Amino acid sequence: MFMTYQKPLLGVLGGMGPLATVDFMHKLVQEMPAAVDQDHVPVVAWNVAQIPDRQKFLAGTGESPLPAMLEGLQRLVAAGATRIVIPCNTAHNWFDALAAESSVPLIHIVDATLKVLRQQTAGAGGPVGLIATRGMLASGLYQKRIEAEGLSCLCSTEEELDRMFTPGCYAVKGGDVENGARLLEQAADALLDRGATRFIMACTEVPVAFERINSRYLPISIDTNRALARACVEYWQEVRN
Amino acid sequence: MFMTYQKPLLGVLGGMGPLATVDFMHKLVQEMPAAVDQDHVPVVAWNVAQIPDRQKFLAGTGESPLPAMLEGLQRLVAAGATRIVIPCNTAHNWFDALAAESSVPLIHIVDATLKVLRQQTAGAGGPVGLIATRGMLASGLYQKRIEAEGLSCLCSTEEELDRMFTPGCYAVKGGDVENGARLLEQAADALLDRGATRFIMACTEVPVAFERINSRYLPISIDTNRALARACVEYWQEVRN
């Protein structure tokens, strides 16, 4: 056997969680204008969820997920990945550490999302509600970039995270997608009450949940997994020939 | 960086087609009784659709997909896979050739499906309609095993393949899932007219299509991708500790 496939190959560092990874891979197929199988973005995916909990580590109550993430990254590079993405927002807390160790470039989910935000017309100009984990909000990754666009940003309060977002997110991860979705909608309701005109679903469990219940928030929300998929399609269209 | 993940790892030789691979990975998450992310079956997936068309090769009009499939298999083994599955029925024409070259065992989709068939109660005892590609039907892989169970088997005619199954399958692959599903349902209608009491959706595009339109055939049909996912869950439950 010979290593003949030397063409561009997208590496997906997944497992955070496994359903969000599948959702990303599905959106990658949907976003690619393809007439036949052979047109699609070639992917190698590491969907290994045996990674210490990111939210718990950021809350100071668990071990670091970085070694397991580096392991996955290394496996993807060994398998021939030429560009790597991570379909998990919270994992982007370790993006710089991963990029520093990687011999191939990574695409940042916030870059991909900001590109879509600039094109968005629904609720344009108004405050952007961020539906995200406590660890993601604490990183300020989205807030800094959104404010740099001259837009204001609204985040869940500590109480809303404890009562709505966090249990909703873990319900989705545990397979109780519908009840999780209702809790996540409550987190969005609270942001809407404070003036948000649109949302960034900055946790990859959120679009999975909102799609399941066909949430009323979908038309005014940016799906960061879909934004990342679009960025990957653009990468593939640039390099495939 | 060190290779620390030496535990069992499921390798998915995908891309045939990419949507069927995503569907399989989704069903693998659904079938695993998991309370937290970390419970799920660890997967490395090669979803690279740049493989010569299997149906065309079997019809004598294209190049062999085997070298590209061996390449994917090799990459999965290099990434640490300890068991390999192929979520594509037609690709099982090359199962023996792949298994002969692989240093790790493969799980056969027909074995997984027969296990589910033995447990099936809807339409039990009656003739089994096979919804499959011409190449899959020509291999006789399902027919031999079904008949060995003392059951009879019904297959599409050449004319039904040309007019219903084949264009339906390619419509799904091309993203026109709803129209593809209608054509695939016509293929099932014809088998029903000849006496089939239940179906094996022995092409992984079929359940994707039937689920999209919530086909009336779903309750009496075995989804080979879901059967394969169940076999993988059983593998993981046996080896994970």
Side-chain angles (χ1 to χ4, degrees):
Chain A
M1 292 196 285
F2 301 95
M3 298 286 268
T4 54
Y5 191 84
Q6 299 296 348
K7 289 173 191 162
L9 178 65
L10 183 69
V12 178
L13 182 57
M16 302 175 277
L19 195 59
T21 300
V22 171
D23 175 65
F24 168 75
M25 291 175 73
H26 189 199
K27 285 166 182 164
L28 192 61
V29 174
Q30 290 178 327
E31 292 295 322
M32 181 68 209
V36 294
D37 281 358
Q38 289 75 7
D39 289 342
H40 281 283
V41 183
V43 172
V44 58
W46 181 256
N47 199 12
V48 175
Q50 284 70 27
I51 302 179
D53 188 295
R54 286 69 60 198
Q55 295 184 55
K56 287 184 181 157
F57 176 76
L58 293 171
T61 60
E63 61 176 313
S64 170
L66 184 59
M69 289 163 75
L70 283 169
E71 169 76 23
L73 183 79
Q74 182 193 23
R75 299 286 186 113
L76 293 171
V77 172
T82 56
R83 192 71 38 125
I84 287 171
V85 291
I86 314 166
C88 169
N89 282 280
T90 301
H92 281 71
N93 276 282
W94 292 271
F95 183 91
D96 293 345
L98 292 165
E101 292 284 338
S102 177
S103 57
V104 304
L106 280 73
I107 299 174
H108 200 296
I109 199 167
V110 178
D111 288 334
T113 301
L114 264 283
K115 189 163 183 181
V116 174
L117 184 71
R118 287 183 204 113
Q119 297 159 350
Q120 192 190 33
T121 52
V128 179
L130 264 185
I131 309 176
T133 63
R134 180 179 268 112
M136 192 68 209
L137 294 176
S139 76
L141 281 170
Y142 275 100
Q143 297 96 309
K144 285 172 208 154
R145 297 287 301 277
I146 291 168
E147 286 159 12
E149 302 279 319
L151 297 166
S152 66
C153 200
L154 291 166
C155 300
S156 303
T157 63
E158 290 291 315
E159 188 268 340
E160 288 161 6
L161 285 167
D162 284 341
R163 201 159 53 82
M164 302 163 186
F165 178 83
T166 307
C169 178
Y170 280 100
V172 176
K173 285 179 180 292
D176 186 7
V177 180
E178 297 200 3
N179 282 317
R182 300 295 169 197
L183 286 162
L184 295 169
E185 273 200 332
Q186 289 175 21
D189 292 341
L191 295 169
L192 194 80
D193 287 346
R194 291 205 292 283
T197 61
R198 50 186 174 159
F199 298 95
I200 293 178
M201 300 185 282
C203 166
T204 48
E205 315 296 342
V206 181
V208 172
F210 279 11
E211 283 165 19
R212 178 73 65 90
I213 63 164
N214 197 20
S215 169
R216 63 189 175 280
Y217 289 123
L218 281 172
I220 54 166
S221 296
I222 293 176
D223 175 345
T224 57
N225 248 357
R226 192 175 293 281
L228 189 61
R230 283 189 197 159
C232 294
V233 165
E234 285 168 18
Y235 163 69
W236 171 237
Q237 288 173 325
E238 275 167 25
V239 299
R240 66 176 157 176
N241 293 320
Chain B
M1 292 196 284
F2 301 93
M3 298 286 268
T4 54
Y5 190 85
Q6 299 295 348
K7 289 175 192 159
L9 177 65
L10 182 70
V12 178
L13 183 56
M16 301 175 278
L19 195 59
T21 300
V22 171
D23 176 64
F24 169 76
M25 293 175 72
H26 189 199
K27 285 166 181 162
L28 192 62
V29 174
Q30 289 178 330
E31 291 296 322
M32 180 68 208
V36 295
D37 280 357
Q38 289 76 8
D39 290 341
H40 281 284
V41 184
V43 171
V44 59
W46 181 256
N47 199 12
V48 175
Q50 284 69 28
I51 302 179
D53 189 296
R54 285 71 57 196
Q55 295 184 54
K56 287 184 181 159
F57 175 76
L58 293 170
T61 60
E63 61 177 312
S64 171
L66 183 59
M69 289 162 75
L70 283 169
E71 168 76 26
L73 183 79
Q74 181 192 26
R75 298 287 186 111
L76 292 171
V77 172
T82 58
R83 192 74 35 128
I84 287 172
V85 291
I86 313 166
C88 169
N89 282 280
T90 302
H92 281 70
N93 276 283
W94 293 270
F95 183 91
D96 293 344
L98 292 166
E101 292 283 339
S102 178
S103 56
V104 305
L106 280 74
I107 300 173
H108 200 296
I109 199 166
V110 178
D111 288 335
T113 300
L114 265 282
K115 188 163 184 180
V116 174
L117 183 72
R118 287 183 204 112
Q119 298 160 348
Q120 194 190 31
T121 52
V128 180
L130 265 184
I131 309 176
T133 63
R134 180 179 269 112
M136 191 68 209
L137 295 176
S139 76
L141 281 170
Y142 276 99
Q143 297 96 310
K144 286 172 208 154
R145 295 288 301 277
I146 290 167
E147 286 159 11
E149 302 279 319
L151 298 166
S152 67
C153 199
L154 292 165
C155 301
S156 303
T157 63
E158 291 291 315
E159 187 269 340
E160 287 161 6
L161 285 167
D162 283 341
R163 200 161 52 82
M164 302 164 187
F165 178 84
T166 307
C169 178
Y170 281 100
V172 177
K173 286 179 180 290
D176 187 6
V177 180
E178 297 200 3
N179 283 317
R182 299 295 169 198
L183 286 162
L184 295 169
E185 272 200 332
Q186 290 176 22
D189 291 342
L191 295 169
L192 193 81
D193 286 347
R194 290 204 292 284
T197 62
R198 49 188 175 157
F199 298 96
I200 293 178
M201 300 185 281
C203 166
T204 47
E205 315 297 341
V206 181
V208 173
F210 278 10
E211 283 164 19
R212 178 72 66 87
I213 63 164
N214 196 20
S215 169
R216 64 189 174 279
Y217 290 123
L218 281 172
I220 54 166
S221 297
I222 293 177
D223 175 346
T224 58
N225 248 357
R226 192 175 293 280
L228 189 62
R230 283 189 197 158
C232 294
V233 165
E234 284 167 18
Y235 163 69
W236 171 236
Q237 287 174 327
E238 276 166 25
V239 298
R240 64 176 158 177
N241 293 319

